Amino acid sequence: MNLPLQWQLATIAAVRSETPEVKTFSLHLPDWMRHRAGQHYDLRLRAADGYEAQRSYSIASAPETEGQVQLTIEKINDGEVSSFLHEVAVVGDRIEVRGPIGGYFVWEAALGGPLLLIGGGSGVVPLMAMLRHRAAAGSRVPTRLLLSARSYDDLIYREELDALAADGSGFEVFYTLTRSQPSDWHGYSRRIDAAMLATVAGPLGRTPLCYICGPTLLVEAAANGLAEIGVPANRIRTERFGPSGS
Amino acid sequence: METEADDVNRAMMLDGNAVAGRFAALFGAEMTTSLTECASCGQDHMMGALLAFTHAPGVVLRCPSCEAVMIKLVETPRGVYLDARGAAFVRIAR
Ligand SMILES: Cc1cc2nc3c(=O)[nH]c(=O)nc-3n(C[C@H](O)[C@H](O)[C@H](O)COP(=O)(O)OP(=O)(O)OC[C@H]3O[C@@H](n4cnc5c(N)ncnc54)[C@H](O)[C@@H]3O)c2cc1C
Ligand SMILES: [Zn+2]
């Protein structure tokens, strides 16, 4: 990125519910720029009385989706910006954004793999961009996603992930539900730990390229777990979203 | 000794990715892949991997290896104060 980062006025083109607490906002950008999967936008709310709030939101859409970006945002109770977006913002509204931002937590098909993606809650968002990019680029890099959520209904993108896992491209998805599970649940039912990581990472060999994203404490636990099972630190990239909603 | 306040701070902790926009606006370059060396322990890390505390006024970036403060950034109406005495260097890519 060589241009100075400029704020621009995006228009909300569509809003879709992903889970009871999560919505995806499609934004049309006058100055759309191709992003790299894993990057984010900064979003700013301002009012005439001097009020200002700024937050970061990962890009959910693939770089191959031109002219717009999708942001998938979880509603945090009493959260200034996320509540505004969920409860006040509607299609046609304009909001200030700048981006795409970042370069450290980025995956492109050319980086190869094998790829191990670990997400908690809305931490799946940048990982989804990576998976959508992987599919759009026709990559067959062996890839596994371990996704943690409170309950089955809180699993963001579940249908799309299950469809991607069934397309024969070498992608597999694993879920862990930490708070409640359906009666016929076959996935994991506990917080991510080293034993779970060993099982999920095992078939990817000793040095998978790992991306961990989500609530800070989940990211710490997963990064420590990967270190414990012997994944080299230079193969692990992390992005912390802050305190968890629990 | 770990206090309750430490635990709360720990849960609020972010990383260099969270301040990528601020740094990009300031330096006119993507900074999260910039290499920086901790002046305390000598370890090199990319800026994106530093621990970030953004709830104080300003931003504090700490070394993920030894947790020493590496960089402080405070924005005021008069300008931006950058205290990088905890970093032996920051490489800004061409
Ligand atoms: C690089 C980056 C990318 C991000 N990408 C996404 C994304 O794609 N989707 C997404 O939904 N969020 C994402 N986040 C988190 C997002 O930036 C905000 O922190 C979040 O939306 C809460 O903002 P708020 O104004 O609604 O809440 P605030 O008003 O800031 O906080 C209200 C209360 O909730 C607590 N809180 C703050 N953040 C969180 C949180 N993340 N979860 C639970 N409780 C919280 C606070 O401690 C406070 O008590 C990302 C964060 C970073 C750093
Ligand atoms: Zn150090």
Side-chain angles (χ1 to χ4, degrees), chain B:
Chain B
M1 201 175 83
E2 292 232 340
T3 65
E4 200 171 314
D6 288 338
D7 288 347
V8 171
N9 261 325
R10 195 92 202 160
M12 306 272 277
M13 178 174 85
L14 298 170
D15 52 46
N17 302 299
V19 291
R22 253 183 275 193
F23 276 84
L26 209 58
F27 289 92
E30 204 298 294
M31 293 293 292
T32 59
T33 53
S34 290
L35 209 61
T36 179
E37 186 173 294
C38 174
S40 302
C41 74
Q43 279 282 330
D44 290 354
H45 294 280
M46 282 191 254
M47 293 276 281
L50 303 189
L51 307 177
F53 297 82
T54 58
H55 292 269
V59 172
V60 176
L61 296 176
R62 289 177 178 269
C63 171
S65 300
C66 75
E67 302 199 5
V69 174
M70 291 179 63
I71 297 170
K72 289 190 253 184
L73 180 88
V74 181
E75 297 183 58
T76 76
R78 299 178 57 129
V80 179
Y81 292 79
L82 185 71
D83 171 348
R85 77 186 91 173
F89 68 78
V90 177
R91 187 176 71 197
I92 300 167
R94 286 178 197 278

Side-chain angles (χ1 to χ4, degrees), chain A residues 67-80:
Chain A
Q68 57 153 289
V69 292
Q70 289 169 3
L71 308 179
T72 297
I73 298 175
E74 178 183 3
K75 182 176 173 293
I76 305 297
N77 280 332
D78 303 321
E80 268 176 61

Side-chain angles (χ1 to χ4, degrees), chain A:
Chain A
M1 187 186 346
N2 293 313
L3 295 167
L5 200 52
Q6 299 288 352
W7 291 99
Q8 55 177 311
L9 265 183
T11 305
I12 302 178
V15 181
R16 190 178 79 201
S17 278
E18 302 280 0
T19 75
E21 305 294 331
V22 176
K23 288 180 181 173
T24 292
F25 299 81
S26 300
L27 305 182
H28 270 293
L29 301 177
D31 291 316
W32 181 84
M33 209 176 111
R34 190 185 164 97
H35 61 271
R36 302 162 71 203
Q39 285 186 305
H40 64 267
Y41 271 78
D42 283 348
L43 187 154
R44 177 167 77 178
L45 302 180
R46 287 197 294 176
D49 64 4
Y51 166 88
E52 187 175 323
Q54 187 179 314
R55 303 287 183 271
S56 300
Y57 292 104
S58 301
I59 305 165
S61 43
E64 288 79 6
T65 306
E66 295 190 11
Q68 57 153 289
V69 292
Q70 289 169 3
L71 308 179
T72 297
I73 298 175
E74 178 183 3
K75 182 176 173 293
I76 305 297
N77 280 332
D78 303 321
E80 268 176 61
V81 175
S82 63
S83 309
F84 172 84
L85 292 168
H86 272 255
E87 288 160 9
V88 182
V90 292
V91 169
D93 283 358
R94 292 171 168 216
I95 43 175
E96 282 185 290
V97 300
R98 68 175 179 192
I101 294 166
Y104 172 76
F105 198 78
V106 156
W107 181 78
E108 284 162 316
L111 283 175
L115 201 52
L116 176 61
L117 309 177
I118 301 165
S122 60
V124 69
V125 176
L127 309 179
M128 192 70 219
M130 296 174 190
L131 291 169
R132 286 170 169 164
H133 165 60
R134 176 182 175 278
S139 164
R140 304 184 70 85
V141 163
T143 301
R144 293 183 151 210
L145 167 68
L146 172 59
L147 179 55
S148 172
R150 282 166 293 208
S151 74
Y152 191 72
D153 290 337
D154 289 316
L155 285 168
I156 307 172
Y157 311 132
R158 182 176 43 78
E159 287 181 10
E160 186 176 345
L161 289 169
D162 290 342
L164 283 173
D167 75 0
S169 73
F171 168 63
E172 288 170 89
V173 61
F174 301 82
Y175 300 119
T176 183
L177 303 179
T178 54
R179 229 182 255 177
S180 65
Q181 305 82 24
S183 51
D184 57 346
W185 182 242
H186 295 299
Y188 294 108
S189 315
R190 61 182 202 270
R191 288 172 188 274
I192 292 173
D193 55 30
M196 193 188 297
L197 290 167
T199 309
V200 174
L204 297 176
R206 298 204 58 78
T207 57
L209 187 52
C210 306
Y211 292 82
I212 312 172
C213 185
T216 298
L217 297 177
L218 176 146
V219 170
E220 302 277 294
N224 291 336
L226 288 178
E228 220 174 289
I229 65 168
V231 177
N234 65 5
R235 297 289 284 172
I236 305 173
R237 299 216 167 180
T238 50
E239 182 164 275
R240 297 169 180 82
F241 274 11
S244 91
S246 54

